[in-house]
Amino acid sequence: MPPPGLPPSTDLMIPQTFEWENQTIITEFILLGLSNDPKIQDFLLFFFMIIFLVTILGNMVIILVIKSEFHLQTPMFFFLSHLAFVDICYSSVTVPKMLSNFITKQKSISWEGCIAQIFFFLQTSCTEVFILSAMGYDRYVAICNPLHYNRYLTKEKCNKMMGGAWFLGLLGAIGNVLPLLDLHFCSNNIIRHYNCDLPSLLPLSCAETLTNYIVLLIFVLAFGFSSFLFTLVSYINIISSILKIKSSASRQKAFSTCSSHLIVVGLFYITAFVHYTRPSSESLMDLDKVISIQYSILTPMLNPIIYSLKNKQILSGVEKLFGKCKVFFLS
């Protein structure tokens, strides 16, 4: 018989368990994924494989363009190249495992694999949050204090900001994963999601999880909300400064350089906040999956597209890069 909650037709592998102090301790979990219909799974495999390939290629192109073009060696594009690299890592944490489950039809994941997925997902997502804040600060200085831009955003300061983003991401991952290691899972092993994440995993624990929820809330507020507030204040000042510009052409150019970043920030923050702050509910599980797909799978793919379409320098660099590739292959 399949575990409670699984359709009778499913052919998922039953996870391994072992006895510990008269209790059955789970060492593997079942990821229900997005659908149990084989035809829908085949479509989802193709759909998410295309998204993953576009994500990897798109962000790699952004990195190569910025590295190869001398006039793009500025703080704004320095942060953008790091954002592209983080998006590659961010997407690679969950999508390959999901694609593997579609192919093998075995939706199990080990306890160690689940912990690793949560750790690297938190690491990359927290790092992305602070990179977006650094990019907001860059635009604030460029528009509100253009005469002091080179003094405030030196190469050394940019490197320190980027190192700080990675360090805080690591801190966020460790801070949430360490309390997770004390939990035990002894009854329900079904994760009603396509990947391991804290909001889906914590309700399955047979131990007290209040500490885990408190730690998660603290990090969401300390990292996510504070970063979002910093970015919001930066853009309030930016928009205020832009509206004071008399030339319509200059206003349009200033809005163009900021609009792409605003779109990326909105897509990432809004969906992530909804997912990590709302109470867990079975009735909203499908909506939760859609929200999660938006910020963890679609956003890393959309970022290079948005920046390419909204930034003429990136678009010009992409055209040059493809021109060089065309000449190389033809020769």
Side-chain angles (χ1 to χ4, degrees), residues 234-286:
S234 296
Y235 270 93
I236 289 174
N237 285 285
I238 288 170
I239 294 172
S240 177
S241 297
I242 291 174
L243 293 176
K244 294 176 183 178
I245 300 175
K246 294 181 180 180
S247 170
S248 59
S250 298
R251 281 200 306 270
Q252 185 177 2
K253 183 179 179 181
F255 271 121
S256 178
T257 60
C258 298
S259 58
S260 55
H261 186 242
L262 274 175
I263 294 170
V264 169
V265 168
L267 287 173
F268 184 81
Y269 276 106
I270 293 172
T271 51
F273 271 136
V274 170
H275 179 65
Y276 278 95
T277 57
R278 75 164 186 82
S280 179
S281 172
E282 288 288 331
S283 61
L284 297 176
M285 189 58 65
D286 289 338

Side-chain angles (χ1 to χ4, degrees), residues 20-281:
W20 182 77
E21 295 183 357
N22 298 323
Q23 286 187 321
T24 302
I25 304 301
I26 294 169
T27 60
E28 289 187 350
F29 296 95
I30 292 176
L31 297 169
L32 284 190
L34 300 173
S35 173
N36 287 310
D37 188 323
K39 293 182 179 179
I40 295 178
Q41 285 189 20
D42 290 340
F43 168 76
L44 291 175
L45 170 63
F46 175 77
F47 178 70
F48 285 110
M49 186 176 293
I50 294 297
I51 288 177
F52 185 63
L53 290 175
V54 171
T55 300
I56 300 300
L57 293 175
N59 284 290
M60 285 183 65
V61 166
I62 292 289
I63 294 171
L64 290 174
V65 166
I66 292 173
K67 295 294 184 184
S68 62
E69 295 293 327
F70 179 77
H71 68 281
L72 298 182
Q73 306 304 309
T74 64
M76 181 177 74
F77 295 108
F78 170 80
F79 292 132
L80 180 56
S81 65
H82 279 270
L83 178 68
F85 175 72
V86 171
D87 278 336
I88 291 174
C89 300
Y90 185 45
S91 182
S92 299
V93 172
T94 56
V95 179
K97 176 61 179 175
M98 181 172 66
L99 296 177
S100 172
N101 288 343
F102 284 138
I103 295 171
T104 62
K105 310 299 182 184
Q106 294 180 342
K107 300 186 177 182
S108 64
I109 185 170
S110 67
W111 162 247
E112 294 80 8
C114 194
I115 290 293
Q117 197 172 74
I118 290 172
F119 178 87
F120 289 111
F121 185 80
L122 290 172
Q123 159 78 74
T124 52
S125 59
C126 287
T127 301
E128 177 146 346
V129 161
F130 290 107
I131 292 177
L132 291 174
S133 293
M135 294 175 73
Y137 176 71
D138 169 80
R139 292 299 84 203
Y140 165 76
V141 176
I143 294 174
C144 299
N145 295 286
L147 298 178
H148 300 285
Y149 185 78
N150 292 329
R151 183 162 66 91
Y152 288 154
L153 285 162
T154 62
K155 185 175 181 180
E156 182 183 359
K157 288 182 179 178
C158 290
N159 286 329
K160 287 182 178 179
M161 291 170 70
M162 196 52 54
W166 281 101
F167 173 76
L168 291 172
L170 180 63
L171 185 64
I174 293 174
N176 280 281
V177 166
L178 284 181
L180 195 60
L181 299 177
D182 294 330
L183 298 183
H184 300 293
F185 299 84
C186 54
S187 55
N188 190 357
N189 55 12
I190 302 169
I191 298 176
R192 300 182 180 277
H193 216 281
Y194 61 85
N195 70 309
C196 281
D197 70 342
L198 286 173
S200 302
L201 184 65
L202 291 179
L204 305 183
S205 174
C206 54
E208 179 57 53
T209 57
L210 179 61
T211 301
N212 301 81
Y213 281 111
I214 292 174
V215 170
L216 177 60
L217 182 61
I218 289 172
F219 275 98
V220 168
L221 293 176
F223 285 9
F225 185 73
S226 63
S227 176
F228 174 74
L229 189 62
F230 177 82
T231 306
L232 181 63
V233 171
S234 296
Y235 270 93
I236 289 174
N237 285 285
I238 288 170
I239 294 172
S240 177
S241 297
I242 291 174
L243 293 176
K244 294 176 183 178
I245 300 175
K246 294 181 180 180
S247 170
S248 59
S250 298
R251 281 200 306 270
Q252 185 177 2
K253 183 179 179 181
F255 271 121
S256 178
T257 60
C258 298
S259 58
S260 55
H261 186 242
L262 274 175
I263 294 170
V264 169
V265 168
L267 287 173
F268 184 81
Y269 276 106
I270 293 172
T271 51
F273 271 136
V274 170
H275 179 65
Y276 278 95
T277 57
R278 75 164 186 82
S280 179
S281 172

